[in-house]
Amino acid sequence: MAPGNGSFVNEFILLGLTNQPDLQLPLFFLFLGMYLVTVLGNLGLIILIALNSHLHTPMYFFLFNLSFIDLCYSSVFTPKMLINFLSKKNIISYLGCMTQLYFFCFFIISECYVLTSMAYDRYVAICKPLLYNVVMSPKVCSSLMFGSYLMAFSGAMAHTGCMLRLTFCDANTINHYFCDILPLLQLSCTSTYVIELEVFIVGGINIIVPSLTIFVSYGLILTNILHISSTEGRSKAFSTCSSHIIAVSLFFGSGAFMYLKPPSAVSMDEGKISSVFYTNMIPMMNPLIYSLRNKDVKLALRKTLSRKQF
């Protein structure tokens, strides 16, 4: 029995993405490649922002934190996932499962609020440019980040605390490739009604509140852009926001699909596909989205590479 919990299970078996042996090796190389791109992309952005003083602005402060979060939360389960592709029996301990769940919740909720802070930053930059340096002061930026991590800590504690109250009797096979909330609920041999309600409420707050804030911010930005008379000014304003809109749409769209439905309405196969999207694809795509369309990042990369040459 695991300490401090009413469960008879002390380890779980992860079924993984697929049970077809022929696909295990190709999937290993696919996800290894994706993970390497994720690590190199996010680590590269972190280093570029740290080394280049012209990127020490509020927008890049938030992007620095976003890259850090993406790097961490993809590392919560991808290494274990890669090992499982090559293992015959994919076992994770009860404590390991709950730890994985906690850090997954912490980093994914953090990302919700960092993306919200980035939307607010773009709103101030476009709608109140003369007040930008005052409104987005270092103190305000630090407070927004502290609030993001505080909300993440609270949400992760709520989700993990509820999971620790569940009792797992004989069933210990998780139909997933990591310890997610919904597959764990299906294994419980006690009522999960209260916990499903908690997941829906806390998950709803952490998806709907940031989504509405971002929606309102971009509504105001769009209104402001339409009042800009010059075509060049409109184009510049749109290009400033387009990367963030793409990232937000991908992240919140896949998260809402997974967590804003009752657990009984989510098929595990659909859940796995959705999970791959927001746990593997988005951390890999964010550095590409923000760097390929960004002149400042390209300039910083050229400067950094030229320094190394000399």
Side-chain angles (χ1 to χ4, degrees):
M1 185 184 291
N5 115 81
S7 173
F8 298 101
V9 169
N10 55 24
E11 64 182 22
F12 294 101
I13 298 169
L14 295 167
L15 282 187
L17 268 180
T18 178
N19 57 5
Q20 296 182 39
D22 294 346
L23 293 177
Q24 301 300 320
L25 200 58
L27 285 173
F28 169 80
F29 286 112
L30 173 64
F31 282 94
L32 177 62
M34 288 169 64
Y35 183 59
L36 289 175
V37 172
T38 301
V39 170
L40 291 172
N42 285 293
L43 201 55
L45 262 183
I46 289 168
I47 292 167
L48 278 179
I49 294 168
L51 292 180
N52 290 273
S53 57
H54 76 279
L55 297 182
H56 294 174
T57 62
M59 184 175 95
Y60 291 103
F61 170 72
F62 294 126
L63 186 54
F64 179 95
N65 279 277
L66 182 69
S67 293
F68 170 74
I69 290 165
D70 281 341
L71 180 62
C72 290
Y73 98 71
S74 63
S75 299
V76 167
F77 42 77
T78 308
K80 176 66 177 168
M81 182 187 188
L82 292 172
I83 292 167
N84 289 349
F85 281 130
L86 304 177
S87 304
K88 289 185 179 178
K89 200 170 186 182
N90 307 326
I91 294 172
I92 186 169
S93 68
Y94 178 87
L95 183 60
C97 186
M98 293 301 130
T99 303
Q100 188 183 66
L101 175 67
Y102 173 81
F103 282 107
F104 167 67
C105 292
F106 178 84
F107 287 118
I108 207 160
I109 295 170
S110 299
E111 180 142 347
C112 291
Y113 290 99
V114 172
L115 289 171
T116 307
S117 300
M118 291 172 78
Y120 177 66
D121 172 72
R122 293 301 83 206
Y123 159 73
V124 177
I126 292 170
C127 299
K128 302 185 184 294
L130 298 178
L131 296 173
Y132 183 75
N133 290 330
V134 177
V135 175
M136 297 306 295
S137 65
K139 185 178 179 181
V140 170
C141 293
S142 300
S143 299
L144 286 170
M145 278 313 308
F146 176 76
S148 300
Y149 289 127
L150 185 63
M151 288 297 291
F153 174 77
S154 305
M157 286 296 289
H159 287 316
T160 312
C162 284
M163 289 298 112
L164 289 168
R165 292 170 62 88
L166 287 178
T167 301
F168 303 100
C169 301
D170 297 322
N172 70 335
T173 302
I174 299 173
N175 187 14
H176 216 304
Y177 59 89
F178 71 100
C179 292
D180 200 1
I181 294 167
L182 303 185
L184 283 169
L185 286 176
Q186 293 181 349
L187 296 184
S188 176
C189 54
T190 51
S191 173
T192 60
Y193 174 76
V194 174
I195 295 170
E196 286 181 27
L197 194 60
E198 178 274 333
V199 169
F200 187 77
I201 292 169
V202 175
I205 290 168
N206 290 321
I207 292 174
I208 293 169
V209 171
S211 298
L212 282 175
T213 307
I214 291 168
F215 181 76
V216 170
S217 296
Y218 277 104
L220 294 170
I221 287 169
L222 184 61
T223 304
N224 192 273
I225 287 173
L226 293 174
H227 285 91
I228 297 173
S229 54
S230 71
T231 309
E232 186 183 347
R234 283 187 194 177
S235 176
K236 188 178 178 182
F238 272 121
S239 67
T240 303
C241 299
S242 57
S243 299
H244 189 242
I245 291 170
I246 294 167
V248 165
S249 303
L250 293 173
F251 182 77
F252 283 101
S254 55
F257 175 81
M258 184 69 183
Y259 293 105
L260 291 188
K261 293 197 289 185
S264 55
V266 180
S267 116
M268 276 301 106
D269 289 334
E270 285 179 358
K272 287 179 189 180
I273 294 167
S274 178
S275 296
V276 165
F277 202 76
Y278 68 78
T279 59
N280 297 87
M281 293 291 291
I282 289 173
M284 180 184 73
M285 291 168 66
N286 276 346
L288 301 175
I289 290 168
Y290 285 106
S291 59
L292 293 178
R293 300 175 56 85
N294 193 310
K295 291 178 183 177
D296 291 334
V297 173
K298 290 177 184 176
L299 177 63
L301 181 59
R302 281 197 294 270
K303 280 185 176 180
T304 306
L305 292 174
S306 64
R307 275 184 220 155
K308 287 187 176 181
Q309 287 173 0
F310 295 102

